Amino acid sequence: MKKTVGVGITGGIASYKIADLVSRLSKDEDINVIVIMTEAATKFITPLTFRTLSGRDVATDLWQESGEWKVQHIGIAEALDLMVIAPATANFIAKMAHGIADDLLSTIMLANTAPVLVVPSMNTNMYENPIVQANLTKLAEYGFEIMNPASGKLACDAVGKGRLPDIEEIYEKIRQMLNDKKDLKGKKVLVNAGTTCEDIDPIRFICNRSTGKMGYAIAREALLRGAEVILVSGRSTLTPPTGVEFIPVWSADEMCEVMLQKQPECDIIIGAAAVGDFKAANKSEIKIKKREHKEDKLLLELTSTPDILKELGKRKKTGQIMVGFAAETNNLLEYARRKLEEKNLDFIVANDVSEEGAGFGSDTNIVTIIDRRGEVKPLPQMSKERVAAAIIDKAVELF
Ligand code: PMT
């Protein structure tokens, strides 16, 4: 079922950054976003921006006629599963701490019974002012979740605490607060993701099209469901989810070494990385010069990399669950079943990477889950986050 997140924007310079947050949340199929802006916030960025990004009218005025709600501030408050105030100015923090309801957003805050995330952002001296700190303490005592601001250069040229945290961090916090399923609590999950890279010389290397989106989504989902997560990542430009133990690696050999070292302490192992099957047999220590290859040809001898999941499969301990992917362009189910057996997996996620909207780089995936009992479950095209949730559901079912 969809969850409704209210994003309350108050009048600070960081309010323009919330466009990214609303855009990010609106892309999630399981989230409805309602944007509420104070009058001061509309001086920094227009409601039209948020209307366009969220796909629905922005609420700005306590007195505005609304066809959607019988009584606007009560209707919005009752619809919420989570309320986020970002950026939260010193003034608005004070209003919330003292129950002042003199505009739409502050009135909604009094009617609201959903959890609240407050993301303060302001000048350092204002943030450190004992009055503001006392108000934040009061909100924390009332059960509000308060995010610490980041440090750095502020819009007013001061340097210190008060910057809005990264949007990705706020997004992660929201996802954590929305998630009430903690079925992986006490479990440790090891996930690999991204592409491995094999050096040819100090300049060139062999890699593949994996971006890490699928593996990072799995790591994030496991984290949200209460697990301790180790994410071993090959090359990727993605930001690892806040809270995972992140181990970046380069080659298949390096990834294999880390995975073998971490395997004994983990309950679930998921291989989503696109591990290169070959590496240069003789890596050159110096740059290979074009002019030394007279016939415009360079013959590269390749040799096999370790099969990481197969090695882990040999050492699998009782009760440990192992999951692999099969990225195929043909004979999907037959090849996937073979890999399930060869690598001693509990289930495999068969991924026809030639399909539009599936596989490398896309935000969605189309997969079929096959388990050892022979159960075959094809899933429709869904976001990689939802595929990740389906994979974790299956792992939990097997426990
Ligand atoms: O990262 P994205 O851009 O989001 O793309 C997602 C994805 C397409 C990479 C992902 O969905 C996927 O299919 N990952 C597996 C890619 C792969 O290497 O598939 P494979 O069929 O070649 O390997 C089978 C399994 O063995 C995989 O779990 C793989 O991680 C593992 N393997 C493969 C080779 C090797 N040397 N060691 C391994 O452990």
Side-chain angles (χ1 to χ4, degrees):
M1 208 177 80
K2 281 197 173 198
K3 299 263 170 107
T4 301
V5 178
V7 178
I9 307 170
T10 70
I13 179 65
S15 47
Y16 79 92
K17 295 184 182 169
I18 305 306
D20 276 346
L21 179 67
V22 170
S23 161
R24 182 84 165 84
L25 290 169
S26 302
K27 282 188 190 128
D28 287 358
E29 294 151 7
D30 57 344
I31 290 184
N32 278 324
V33 184
I34 302 178
V35 178
I36 308 111
M37 297 175 79
T38 63
E39 195 190 340
T42 65
K43 308 278 182 212
F44 288 95
I45 181 163
T46 65
L48 179 64
T49 305
F50 292 105
R51 191 192 183 290
T52 312
L53 293 171
S54 67
R56 64 185 297 160
D57 285 340
V58 172
T60 54
D61 180 3
L62 186 56
W63 311 109
Q64 101 198 26
E65 291 283 326
S66 163
E68 193 171 358
W69 318 103
K70 194 165 162 221
V71 180
Q72 188 186 212
H73 61 285
I74 304 294
I76 292 178
E78 283 176 351
L80 299 178
D81 294 293
L82 177 72
M83 182 73 196
V84 184
I85 303 294
T89 58
N91 178 54
F92 200 78
I93 289 167
K95 284 211 244 180
M96 289 191 290
H98 295 276
I100 295 172
D102 62 355
D103 65 1
L104 178 62
L105 185 56
S106 53
T107 311
I108 289 172
M109 291 312 292
L110 279 193
N112 172 52
T113 55
V116 181
L117 174 65
V118 178
V119 192
S121 172
M122 66 197 77
N123 161 274
T124 310
N125 290 342
M126 289 172 82
Y127 177 69
E128 286 174 353
N129 187 306
I131 303 173
V132 173
Q133 287 302 313
N135 285 336
L136 285 170
T137 305
K138 205 166 203 187
L139 291 180
E141 284 164 7
Y142 286 136
F144 289 34
E145 190 76 34
I146 316 285
M147 266 186 103
N148 278 330
S151 293
K153 192 163 186 285
L154 305 174
C156 54
D157 279 346
V159 177
K161 219 169 174 188
R163 280 172 66 88
L164 193 85
D166 280 349
I167 292 302
E168 201 52 34
E169 248 181 83
I170 304 175
Y171 171 79
E172 292 294 345
K173 188 78 203 170
I174 291 172
R175 295 277 0 171
Q176 276 171 26
M177 287 181 74
L178 283 177
N179 199 295
D180 35 26
K181 237 201 232 172
K182 296 285 178 208
D183 44 10
L184 284 184
K185 205 161 176 57
K187 303 283 180 215
K188 207 163 193 179
V189 179
L190 176 62
V191 186
N192 66 16
T195 169
T196 54
C197 300
E198 305 302 337
D199 290 340
I200 298 169
D201 70 8
I203 314 288
R204 302 152 177 121
F205 57 88
I206 307 167
C207 66
N208 60 61
R209 297 170 196 276
S210 170
T211 56
K213 283 181 187 173
M214 191 65 250
Y216 280 49
I218 294 169
R220 180 177 295 110
E221 178 67 20
L223 191 73
L224 290 175
R225 293 181 50 175
E228 235 182 280
V229 179
I230 305 171
L231 173 59
V232 182
S233 176
R235 194 167 187 257
S236 167
T237 56
L238 301 179
T239 309
T242 316
V244 301
E245 180 185 340
F246 182 65
I247 308 178
V249 294
W250 183 251
S251 63
D253 282 302
E254 260 184 58
M255 186 177 270
C256 190
E257 196 185 319
V258 175
M259 296 288 288
L260 285 173
Q261 188 204 335
K262 295 288 180 186
Q263 177 180 25
E265 64 194 79
C266 292
D267 303 289
I268 303 176
I269 297 161
I270 305 178
V275 185
D277 289 318
F278 299 100
K279 61 182 177 183
N282 301 297
K283 176 183 139 189
S284 172
E285 293 307 324
I286 53 168
K287 183 179 177 187
I288 300 170
K289 299 302 287 178
K290 189 176 167 190
R291 74 168 66 126
E292 283 159 21
H293 295 275
K294 295 208 171 62
E295 290 162 30
D296 283 343
K297 235 190 239 171
L298 168 66
L299 287 179
L300 199 59
E301 195 187 341
L302 299 177
T303 178
S304 294
T305 56
D307 187 321
I308 302 174
L309 279 190
K310 198 167 180 181
E311 289 308 314
L312 296 173
K314 287 180 200 160
R315 295 162 177 79
K316 186 169 150 188
K317 52 175 194 180
T318 323
Q320 198 166 50
I321 288 177
M322 281 191 52
V323 184
F325 274 73
E328 309 292 349
T329 54
N330 55 314
N331 296 338
L332 179 67
L333 298 186
E334 182 192 331
Y335 290 156
R337 282 195 186 98
R338 197 180 298 167
K339 285 176 182 171
L340 177 77
E341 286 302 324
E342 279 172 3
K343 295 174 198 249
N344 193 18
L345 305 172
D346 293 279
F347 66 93
I348 193 155
V349 184
N351 199 176
D352 183 342
V353 291
S354 63
E355 274 188 88
E356 180 131 357
F360 297 97
S362 60
D363 289 331
T364 56
N365 212 349
I366 307 167
V367 301
T368 299
I369 295 180
I370 308 172
D371 69 17
R372 287 193 86 81
R373 294 170 304 194
E375 194 186 308
V376 178
K377 188 175 176 193
L379 298 177
Q381 182 174 353
M382 339 197 253
S383 66
K384 283 185 173 163
E385 284 73 23
R386 287 192 57 204
V387 172
I391 292 168
I392 297 295
D393 283 346
K394 179 77 185 174
V396 169
E397 181 195 311
L398 293 183
F399 265 125

